[in-house]
Amino acid sequence: MNTSAFDSTQQPSSELRFTLFNPDGADIPQMARELTRRPELARPHLLVDCSRLQCVRQYGVSHFVSQLLLLHQAGAYIVLRNVDPVLMRCLELLKVSHLFHASLGAPTEA
């Protein structure tokens, strides 16, 4: 699996381990295929900080959501943090906000 998009966070072993995941530039279809082909791999718990994602600005919300759906369908548990109100509304309208455990965040300076 291409791990260049992953950055492990250090947490005590008694807690869930999340990996800080940046979808910008990641080969998400390949990652999803790898998870599907290798069921022995642990299901990743991915934490996505949405405050500075380039892929949403460059390709749009539908592309971002489709990439996350690929990972979700492959078994990944995805948490979105710092979601702006527009993206949150899009997730709600698409009826996928519950799949990604999204939380609103304060807008950031551009």
Side-chain angles (χ1 to χ4, degrees):
M1 179 184 313
N2 177 7
T3 58
S4 63
F6 292 96
D7 179 25
S8 295
T9 57
Q10 300 297 324
Q11 295 181 355
S13 60
S14 63
E15 296 179 19
L16 277 179
R17 291 181 187 255
F18 278 86
T19 300
L20 186 57
F21 178 70
N22 182 355
D24 291 332
D27 187 352
I28 292 175
Q30 176 59 33
M31 296 167 88
R33 281 191 295 274
E34 189 70 23
L35 284 172
T36 302
R37 272 187 277 195
R38 299 187 52 204
E40 74 277 5
L41 291 175
R43 300 296 99 187
H45 290 74
L46 306 176
L47 180 62
V48 179
D49 183 351
C50 297
S51 64
R52 298 188 191 271
L53 289 177
Q54 292 301 311
C55 63
V56 173
R57 291 184 183 113
Q58 189 172 14
Y59 301 113
V61 171
S62 61
H63 174 80
F64 177 61
V65 170
S66 69
Q67 298 296 289
L68 294 179
L69 283 171
L70 285 174
L71 289 172
H72 174 76
Q73 290 170 344
Y77 178 85
I78 301 167
V79 173
L80 304 175
R81 71 174 180 192
N82 298 321
V83 177
D84 68 49
V86 174
L87 178 57
M88 181 63 86
R89 183 69 180 139
C90 291
L91 294 172
E92 290 167 354
L93 289 171
L94 293 169
K95 302 196 184 305
V96 296
S97 59
H98 66 284
L99 296 176
F100 305 129
H101 312 281
S103 64
L104 285 171
T108 59
E109 297 292 322

